[in-house]
Coordinates of all heavy atoms in Angstrom, one line a residue:
M1 N 65.5 64.9 96.6 CA 66.2 65.5 97.6 C 66.0 64.7 98.9 O 64.8 64.5 99.3 CB 65.9 66.9 97.7 CG 66.6 67.7 98.8 SD 66.3 69.4 98.6 CE 66.7 69.9 100.3
N2 N 67.0 64.4 99.7 CA 66.8 63.7 100.9 C 66.6 64.7 102.0 O 67.5 65.5 102.3 CB 68.1 62.9 101.2 CG 67.9 62.0 102.4 OD1 66.9 62.1 103.1 ND2 68.9 61.2 102.7
T3 N 65.4 64.7 102.6 CA 65.1 65.7 103.7 C 65.1 65.0 105.1 O 64.7 65.6 106.0 CB 63.7 66.3 103.5 OG1 62.8 65.2 103.5 CG2 63.7 67.0 102.2
S4 N 65.7 63.8 105.2 CA 65.7 63.1 106.5 C 66.6 63.8 107.4 O 67.7 64.2 107.1 CB 66.1 61.6 106.2 OG 66.3 61.0 107.5
R5 N 66.2 63.9 108.7 CA 67.1 64.4 109.7 C 67.9 63.3 110.5 O 68.7 63.6 111.3 CB 66.3 65.2 110.7 CG 65.6 66.4 110.1 CD 64.7 67.0 111.1 NE 64.8 68.4 111.1 CZ 64.2 69.2 111.9 NH1 63.6 68.7 113.0 NH2 64.4 70.5 111.8
R6 N 67.6 62.1 110.1 CA 68.2 61.0 110.8 C 69.6 60.8 110.4 O 70.0 60.9 109.2 CB 67.4 59.7 110.5 CG 67.8 58.6 111.3 CD 66.8 57.5 111.0 NE 67.4 56.3 111.7 CZ 67.0 55.1 111.4 NH1 66.1 54.9 110.5 NH2 67.5 54.0 112.0
R7 N 70.5 60.6 111.3 CA 71.9 60.4 111.1 C 72.2 59.0 110.8 O 71.5 58.1 111.3 CB 72.8 60.9 112.2 CG 72.8 62.3 112.4 CD 73.8 62.7 113.5 NE 73.8 64.1 113.7 CZ 74.6 64.7 114.5 NH1 75.4 64.0 115.2 NH2 74.6 66.0 114.6
S8 N 73.2 58.7 110.0 CA 73.6 57.4 109.7 C 74.3 56.8 110.9 O 74.9 57.5 111.7 CB 74.7 57.4 108.6 OG 75.3 56.2 108.5
S9 N 74.1 55.5 111.1 CA 74.7 54.8 112.3 C 75.8 53.9 111.8 O 76.2 53.0 112.5 CB 73.6 53.9 113.0 OG 73.1 53.0 112.1
G10 N 76.4 54.3 110.7 CA 77.5 53.5 110.1 C 78.9 53.9 110.6 O 79.6 54.5 109.9
G11 N 79.2 53.6 111.8 CA 80.5 53.9 112.3 C 80.5 55.1 113.3 O 79.5 55.8 113.5
P12 N 81.7 55.3 113.9 CA 81.7 56.4 114.8 C 81.7 57.8 114.2 O 82.0 57.9 113.0 CB 83.1 56.2 115.5 CG 83.9 55.4 114.5 CD 82.9 54.6 113.7
R13 N 81.1 58.7 114.9 CA 81.0 60.1 114.4 C 82.3 60.7 114.5 O 83.1 60.5 115.5 CB 79.9 60.8 115.2 CG 78.6 60.4 115.0 CD 77.7 61.2 115.8 NE 78.2 61.2 117.2 CZ 77.5 61.4 118.2 NH1 76.2 61.7 118.1 NH2 78.0 61.3 119.4
P14 N 82.6 61.6 113.6 CA 83.9 62.4 113.8 C 83.8 63.2 115.1 O 82.8 63.8 115.4 CB 83.9 63.3 112.6 CG 82.8 62.9 111.7 CD 81.9 62.0 112.4
G15 N 84.8 63.1 115.9 CA 84.9 63.9 117.1 C 84.3 63.2 118.3 O 84.2 63.8 119.4
A16 N 83.7 62.0 118.1 CA 83.0 61.3 119.2 C 84.1 60.8 120.1 O 85.1 60.3 119.7 CB 82.2 60.2 118.7
S17 N 83.9 60.9 121.4 CA 84.9 60.4 122.4 C 84.9 58.9 122.3 O 83.9 58.2 122.0 CB 84.6 60.9 123.8 OG 83.4 60.3 124.2
G18 N 85.9 58.3 122.8 CA 86.1 56.8 122.9 C 85.3 56.2 124.1 O 85.3 55.0 124.3
R19 N 84.7 57.1 124.9 CA 84.0 56.6 126.1 C 82.7 56.0 125.7 O 81.9 56.5 124.9 CB 83.8 57.7 127.1 CG 83.4 57.3 128.4 CD 83.3 58.5 129.3 NE 82.3 59.4 128.8 CZ 81.5 60.1 129.6 NH1 81.7 60.1 130.9 NH2 80.6 60.9 129.1
S20 N 82.3 54.8 126.3 CA 81.1 54.2 126.0 C 80.0 54.8 126.9 O 80.2 55.2 128.0 CB 81.2 52.7 126.3 OG 79.9 52.1 126.2
T21 N 78.8 54.8 126.4 CA 77.6 55.3 127.2 C 77.0 54.2 128.0 O 76.1 54.5 128.8 CB 76.6 56.0 126.3 OG1 76.2 55.0 125.4 CG2 77.1 57.2 125.6
D22 N 77.5 53.0 127.8 CA 76.9 51.9 128.6 C 77.5 51.9 130.0 O 78.7 51.7 130.2 CB 77.2 50.5 127.8 CG 76.7 49.3 128.5 OD1 75.8 49.5 129.4 OD2 77.1 48.2 128.2
P23 N 76.6 52.0 131.0 CA 77.2 52.0 132.4 C 77.7 50.7 132.8 O 78.6 50.6 133.7 CB 75.9 52.3 133.2 CG 74.7 52.0 132.4 CD 75.2 52.1 131.0
G24 N 77.4 49.6 132.2 CA 77.9 48.3 132.5 C 79.1 47.9 131.8 O 79.7 46.8 132.0
A25 N 79.7 48.8 130.9 CA 80.9 48.4 130.2 C 82.0 48.2 131.1 O 82.3 49.0 132.0 CB 81.1 49.5 129.1
G26 N 82.8 47.2 130.8 CA 84.0 47.0 131.6 C 83.8 46.1 132.8 O 84.7 45.6 133.5
R27 N 82.5 45.8 133.2 CA 82.2 45.0 134.3 C 82.0 43.6 133.8 O 81.5 43.4 132.7 CB 80.9 45.5 135.0 CG 81.2 46.7 135.9 CD 80.0 46.9 136.8 NE 79.2 48.0 136.2 CZ 78.0 48.2 136.5 NH1 77.3 47.5 137.3 NH2 77.3 49.3 135.9
P28 N 82.3 42.6 134.7 CA 82.0 41.2 134.3 C 80.5 41.0 134.2 O 79.7 41.7 134.9 CB 82.6 40.4 135.5 CG 82.7 41.3 136.6 CD 82.8 42.7 136.0
P29 N 80.0 40.0 133.4 CA 78.6 39.8 133.2 C 78.0 39.3 134.5 O 78.6 38.5 135.3 CB 78.5 38.8 132.2 CG 79.9 38.2 132.1 CD 80.8 39.2 132.6
A30 N 76.8 39.7 134.8 CA 76.1 39.3 136.0 C 75.7 37.8 135.9 O 75.5 37.3 134.8 CB 74.9 40.2 136.3
E31 N 75.6 37.2 137.0 CA 75.1 35.8 137.0 C 73.7 35.7 136.6 O 72.9 36.6 136.9 CB 75.3 35.1 138.4 CG 76.8 34.9 138.8 CD 76.9 34.2 140.1 OE1 76.0 33.5 140.4 OE2 77.9 34.4 140.8
A32 N 73.3 34.6 136.0 CA 71.9 34.5 135.6 C 71.1 34.4 136.9 O 71.4 33.7 137.9 CB 71.8 33.2 134.8
A33 N 69.9 35.0 136.8 CA 69.0 35.0 138.0 C 68.4 33.6 138.1 O 68.2 32.9 137.1 CB 67.9 36.0 137.8
S34 N 68.3 33.2 139.3 CA 67.7 31.8 139.6 C 66.2 32.0 139.5 O 65.6 33.0 139.8 CB 68.2 31.3 140.9 OG 67.7 32.1 141.9
W35 N 65.5 30.9 139.2 CA 64.0 30.8 139.1 C 63.6 29.7 140.0 O 63.4 28.6 139.5 CB 63.6 30.7 137.6 CG 62.2 30.9 137.4 CD1 61.2 29.9 137.5 CD2 61.5 32.1 137.2 NE1 60.0 30.4 137.3 CE2 60.1 31.7 137.1 CE3 61.9 33.4 137.0 CZ2 59.2 32.7 136.8 CZ3 60.9 34.3 136.7 CH2 59.6 34.0 136.6
P36 N 63.3 29.9 141.2 CA 63.0 28.8 142.2 C 61.6 28.2 141.9 O 61.4 27.0 142.1 CB 63.1 29.5 143.5 CG 62.8 30.9 143.3 CD 63.4 31.2 141.9
D37 N 60.7 29.0 141.5 CA 59.3 28.5 141.3 C 59.0 28.3 139.8 O 58.7 29.2 139.1 CB 58.3 29.5 141.8 CG 58.4 29.7 143.3 OD1 58.8 28.7 144.0 OD2 58.1 30.7 143.8
L38 N 59.2 27.1 139.4 CA 58.9 26.7 138.0 C 57.4 26.6 137.8 O 56.7 26.3 138.7 CB 59.6 25.5 137.6 CG 61.1 25.5 137.7 CD1 61.7 24.2 137.4 CD2 61.7 26.5 136.7
P39 N 56.9 26.9 136.6 CA 55.5 26.7 136.4 C 55.0 25.3 136.7 O 55.7 24.4 136.3 CB 55.3 27.1 134.9 CG 56.6 27.6 134.4 CD 57.6 27.3 135.4
R40 N 53.9 25.2 137.3 CA 53.4 23.9 137.7 C 52.1 23.6 136.9 O 51.5 24.5 136.4 CB 53.0 23.9 139.2 CG 54.2 24.0 140.1 CD 53.8 24.0 141.5 NE 54.8 24.8 142.3 CZ 54.5 25.8 142.9 NH1 53.2 26.3 143.1 NH2 55.4 26.5 143.6
E41 N 51.9 22.3 136.7 CA 50.7 22.0 136.0 C 49.4 22.3 136.8 O 49.4 22.2 138.0 CB 50.7 20.5 135.7 CG 49.7 20.0 134.7 CD 49.9 18.6 134.3 OE1 51.0 18.2 134.0 OE2 48.9 17.9 134.2
D42 N 48.4 22.8 136.1 CA 47.2 23.2 136.8 C 46.5 22.0 137.4 O 46.2 21.0 136.7 CB 46.2 23.9 135.8 CG 45.0 24.5 136.4 OD1 44.9 24.4 137.6 OD2 44.3 25.1 135.7
P43 N 46.3 21.9 138.7 CA 45.6 20.8 139.3 C 44.1 20.6 139.0 O 43.6 19.6 139.1 CB 45.8 21.0 140.8 CG 46.0 22.5 141.0 CD 46.6 23.0 139.7
N44 N 43.5 21.8 138.6 CA 42.1 21.8 138.3 C 41.9 22.3 136.8 O 41.4 23.4 136.7 CB 41.3 22.6 139.2 CG 41.4 22.1 140.7 OD1 41.4 21.0 140.9 ND2 41.6 23.1 141.6
P45 N 42.3 21.5 135.8 CA 42.1 22.0 134.5 C 40.6 22.2 134.1 O 39.8 21.4 134.5 CB 42.7 21.0 133.6 CG 42.7 19.7 134.4 CD 42.7 20.2 135.9
R46 N 40.3 23.3 133.4 CA 39.0 23.5 133.0 C 38.7 23.0 131.7 O 39.6 23.1 130.8 CB 38.7 25.0 133.0 CG 38.9 25.6 134.4 CD 38.0 26.8 134.6 NE 38.1 27.2 136.0 CZ 38.2 28.5 136.4 NH1 38.2 29.5 135.5 NH2 38.2 28.7 137.7
P47 N 37.6 22.3 131.5 CA 37.4 21.7 130.2 C 37.1 22.7 129.1 O 36.6 23.8 129.3 CB 36.0 20.9 130.4 CG 35.4 21.6 131.5 CD 36.5 22.2 132.4
Y48 N 37.6 22.3 127.9 CA 37.4 23.2 126.7 C 35.9 23.2 126.4 O 35.3 22.1 126.3 CB 38.2 22.7 125.6 CG 38.0 23.4 124.3 CD1 38.4 24.7 124.1 CD2 37.3 22.8 123.2 CE1 38.3 25.4 122.9 CE2 37.1 23.5 122.0 CZ 37.6 24.8 121.9 OH 37.4 25.4 120.7
R49 N 35.3 24.4 126.2 CA 33.9 24.5 125.9 C 33.7 25.0 124.5 O 33.6 26.3 124.3 CB 33.2 25.3 127.0 CG 33.3 24.7 128.4 CD 32.8 25.5 129.5 NE 31.5 26.1 129.2 CZ 30.9 27.0 129.9 NH1 31.6 27.5 130.9 NH2 29.7 27.5 129.6
P50 N 33.6 24.2 123.5 CA 33.5 24.7 122.1 C 32.3 25.5 121.9 O 32.3 26.5 121.1 CB 33.5 23.5 121.3 CG 33.2 22.3 122.2 CD 33.6 22.7 123.6
E51 N 31.1 25.3 122.6 CA 29.9 26.0 122.4 C 30.1 27.5 122.9 O 29.6 28.4 122.3 CB 28.7 25.4 123.1 CG 28.7 25.4 124.6 CD 29.6 24.4 125.3 OE1 30.2 23.5 124.6 OE2 29.7 24.5 126.5
L52 N 30.9 27.7 124.0 CA 31.1 29.0 124.5 C 32.0 29.8 123.5 O 31.8 30.9 123.2 CB 31.8 28.9 125.9 CG 32.1 30.2 126.5 CD1 31.0 31.1 126.7 CD2 32.8 30.0 127.9
V53 N 33.1 29.1 123.1 CA 34.0 29.7 122.1 C 33.2 30.1 120.8 O 33.4 31.3 120.4 CB 35.2 28.8 121.8 CG1 36.0 29.3 120.7 CG2 36.0 28.5 123.0
A54 N 32.4 29.3 120.3 CA 31.6 29.6 119.1 C 30.7 30.8 119.3 O 30.6 31.7 118.5 CB 30.8 28.4 118.7
R55 N 30.0 30.8 120.5 CA 29.1 31.9 120.9 C 29.9 33.2 121.0 O 29.4 34.3 120.4 CB 28.4 31.6 122.1 CG 27.2 32.5 122.4 CD 26.4 32.1 123.6 NE 27.1 32.6 124.8 CZ 27.1 31.9 125.9 NH1 26.5 30.7 126.0 NH2 27.8 32.4 126.9
L56 N 31.0 33.2 121.6 CA 31.9 34.4 121.7 C 32.3 34.9 120.3 O 32.3 36.1 120.0 CB 33.0 34.2 122.6 CG 32.7 34.2 124.1 CD1 33.9 33.7 124.9 CD2 32.3 35.5 124.6
E57 N 32.8 33.9 119.5 CA 33.2 34.3 118.2 C 32.1 34.9 117.4 O 32.4 35.9 116.7 CB 33.8 33.0 117.4 CG 34.4 33.3 116.1 CD 34.9 32.1 115.4 OE1 34.8 31.0 115.9 OE2 35.4 32.3 114.3
R58 N 30.9 34.4 117.4 CA 29.8 35.0 116.7 C 29.5 36.4 117.2 O 29.2 37.3 116.4 CB 28.5 34.1 116.8 CG 28.6 32.9 115.9 CD 27.2 32.2 115.9 NE 26.7 31.8 117.2 CZ 26.9 30.6 117.8 NH1 27.6 29.7 117.2 NH2 26.4 30.4 118.9
A59 N 29.6 36.6 118.5 CA 29.3 37.9 119.1 C 30.3 38.9 118.6 O 30.0 40.1 118.3 CB 29.2 37.8 120.6
V60 N 31.6 38.5 118.6 CA 32.7 39.4 118.2 C 32.5 39.8 116.8 O 32.6 41.0 116.4 CB 34.1 38.8 118.5 CG1 35.2 39.6 117.8 CG2 34.3 38.7 120.0
R61 N 32.3 38.8 115.9 CA 32.1 39.1 114.5 C 30.9 40.0 114.2 O 31.0 40.8 113.3 CB 31.9 37.8 113.7 CG 33.2 37.0 113.6 CD 33.0 35.7 112.8 NE 34.2 34.9 112.9 CZ 34.9 34.5 111.9 NH1 34.6 34.8 110.7 NH2 36.0 33.8 112.1
A62 N 29.9 39.8 115.0 CA 28.6 40.7 114.8 C 28.8 42.0 115.4 O 27.9 42.9 115.2 CB 27.4 39.9 115.3
G63 N 29.8 42.2 116.2 CA 30.0 43.5 116.9 C 29.2 43.7 118.1 O 29.0 44.8 118.6
R64 N 28.7 42.6 118.7 CA 27.8 42.7 119.9 C 28.6 42.4 121.2 O 28.0 42.5 122.2 CB 26.7 41.6 119.7 CG 25.7 41.9 118.7 CD 24.6 40.8 118.6 NE 25.1 39.7 117.9 CZ 25.2 38.5 118.5 NH1 24.8 38.2 119.7 NH2 25.7 37.4 117.8
Y65 N 29.8 42.0 121.1 CA 30.6 41.6 122.3 C 31.1 42.9 123.0 O 31.8 43.7 122.4 CB 31.8 40.7 121.9 CG 32.6 40.3 123.1 CD1 32.1 39.5 124.0 CD2 33.9 40.8 123.3 CE1 32.9 39.2 125.1 CE2 34.7 40.5 124.3 CZ 34.2 39.6 125.3 OH 34.9 39.3 126.4
Q66 N 30.7 43.0 124.2 CA 31.0 44.1 125.0 C 31.6 43.6 126.4 O 30.8 43.3 127.3 CB 29.9 45.1 125.3 CG 29.4 45.7 124.1 CD 28.3 46.7 124.3 OE1 27.6 46.7 125.4 NE2 27.9 47.5 123.4
P67 N 32.9 43.4 126.5 CA 33.4 42.8 127.7 C 33.2 43.7 128.9 O 33.3 45.0 128.8 CB 34.9 42.7 127.4 CG 35.2 43.6 126.3 CD 33.9 43.8 125.5
D68 N 33.0 43.1 130.0 CA 32.8 43.9 131.3 C 34.1 43.8 132.0 O 34.6 42.8 132.6 CB 31.7 43.2 132.1 CG 31.5 44.0 133.5 OD1 32.1 45.0 133.7 OD2 30.8 43.4 134.3
P69 N 34.9 44.9 132.1 CA 36.2 44.9 132.8 C 36.1 44.5 134.2 O 37.1 43.8 134.7 CB 36.7 46.4 132.7 CG 35.8 47.1 131.8 CD 34.5 46.3 131.6
R70 N 35.1 44.8 134.9 CA 35.0 44.4 136.3 C 34.8 42.8 136.4 O 35.4 42.2 137.3 CB 33.9 45.1 137.0 CG 34.1 46.6 137.2 CD 32.9 47.2 137.8 NE 33.0 48.7 137.7 CZ 33.3 49.4 138.8 NH1 33.5 48.9 140.0 NH2 33.4 50.7 138.6
A71 N 34.0 42.3 135.6 CA 33.8 40.8 135.6 C 35.1 40.1 135.2 O 35.5 39.1 135.8 CB 32.7 40.4 134.7
I72 N 35.8 40.6 134.3 CA 37.1 40.0 133.8 C 38.1 40.1 135.0 O 38.8 39.1 135.3 CB 37.7 40.8 132.6 CG1 36.8 40.5 131.4 CG2 39.1 40.3 132.3 CD1 37.0 41.3 130.2
A73 N 38.2 41.2 135.6 CA 39.1 41.4 136.8 C 38.8 40.5 137.9 O 39.6 39.8 138.5 CB 39.2 42.8 137.3
A74 N 37.5 40.3 138.2 CA 37.0 39.4 139.3 C 37.4 38.0 138.9 O 37.8 37.2 139.8 CB 35.5 39.6 139.5
A75 N 37.2 37.6 137.7 CA 37.5 36.2 137.3 C 39.0 36.0 137.4 O 39.4 34.9 137.7 CB 37.0 36.0 135.9
M76 N 39.8 36.9 137.0 CA 41.2 36.8 137.1 C 41.7 36.7 138.6 O 42.5 35.8 138.9 CB 41.9 38.0 136.5 CG 41.8 38.0 134.9 SD 42.5 39.5 134.2 CE 44.2 39.3 134.6
I77 N 41.1 37.4 139.5 CA 41.4 37.3 140.9 C 41.0 36.0 141.4 O 41.8 35.3 142.1 CB 40.8 38.5 141.6 CG1 41.5 39.8 141.2 CG2 40.9 38.3 143.2 CD1 40.7 41.1 141.7
D78 N 39.8 35.5 141.1 CA 39.4 34.2 141.5 C 40.3 33.1 141.1 O 40.6 32.2 141.8 CB 37.9 33.9 141.0 CG 36.9 34.8 141.7 OD1 37.2 35.4 142.7 OD2 35.8 34.9 141.2
R79 N 40.7 33.2 139.8 CA 41.6 32.2 139.2 C 42.9 32.2 139.9 O 43.5 31.2 140.2 CB 41.8 32.5 137.7 CG 42.6 31.5 137.0 CD 41.8 30.2 136.8 NE 42.5 29.3 136.0 CZ 42.6 28.0 136.2 NH1 41.9 27.4 137.2 NH2 43.2 27.2 135.4
M80 N 43.5 33.4 140.2 CA 44.8 33.5 140.9 C 44.6 32.9 142.3 O 45.5 32.2 142.8 CB 45.2 34.9 141.0 CG 45.7 35.5 139.7 SD 47.1 34.7 139.0 CE 48.4 35.1 140.1
D81 N 43.5 33.2 143.0 CA 43.3 32.6 144.3 C 43.3 31.1 144.2 O 43.8 30.4 145.1 CB 42.0 33.1 144.9 CG 42.1 34.6 145.3 OD1 43.2 35.1 145.5 OD2 41.0 35.2 145.5
E82 N 42.6 30.5 143.2 CA 42.6 29.1 143.0 C 44.0 28.5 142.8 O 44.4 27.5 143.4 CB 41.8 28.7 141.8 CG 40.3 28.8 142.0 CD 39.5 28.5 140.7 OE1 40.1 28.0 139.8 OE2 38.3 28.8 140.6
L83 N 44.8 29.2 142.1 CA 46.2 28.7 141.8 C 47.1 28.8 143.0 O 48.0 28.0 143.1 CB 46.7 29.5 140.5 CG 46.1 29.2 139.2 CD1 46.6 30.1 138.2 CD2 46.2 27.8 138.8
L84 N 46.8 29.8 143.8 CA 47.7 30.0 145.0 C 47.4 29.1 146.2 O 48.1 29.0 147.1 CB 47.7 31.5 145.4 CG 48.3 32.5 144.4 CD1 48.1 33.9 144.8 CD2 49.8 32.1 144.2
D85 N 46.2 28.6 146.1 CA 45.8 27.7 147.3 C 46.5 26.4 147.2 O 47.0 25.8 146.3 CB 44.3 27.5 147.3 CG 43.6 28.7 147.7 OD1 44.2 29.6 148.4 OD2 42.4 28.9 147.4

């Protein structure tokens, strides 16, 4: 026995009005938004540190990795400041 309450989406429902619920229906499509600031190459690339990656991977696998949200946020802010200068 089918106990699903979900209605079929196969076509219009009987008695449904012909009005669309889309507020943008009938309007011309909006112009594509411009993107004046394209991503730039990082002027100060940081070197890949395989020893750090390996150490973090071991800590995660062993269940010893406990990220510090404040340190992560501070590093992100510092990085954004570097990129904006």
Side-chain angles (χ1 to χ4, degrees):
M1 180 173 159
N2 187 358
T3 59
S4 173
R5 296 173 139 191
R6 188 172 172 198
R7 289 188 178 181
S8 169
S9 60
R13 292 179 308 204
S17 68
R19 191 175 66 147
S20 172
T21 58
D22 181 15
R27 281 193 259 162
E31 291 184 26
S34 62
W35 190 271
D37 295 330
L38 297 176
R40 296 182 208 119
E41 192 171 316
D42 189 357
N44 301 320
R46 299 209 171 140
Y48 175 71
R49 296 174 50 191
E51 71 281 354
L52 177 61
V53 173
R55 194 173 79 216
L56 284 171
E57 183 178 3
R58 284 192 303 271
V60 168
R61 287 179 190 238
R64 292 180 282 119
Y65 179 67
Q66 295 180 346
D68 179 11
R70 292 177 191 254
I72 293 170
M76 290 174 67
I77 291 170
D78 291 344
R79 185 72 173 140
M80 289 298 292
D81 288 342
E82 286 176 13
L83 292 173
L84 292 175
D85 287 340

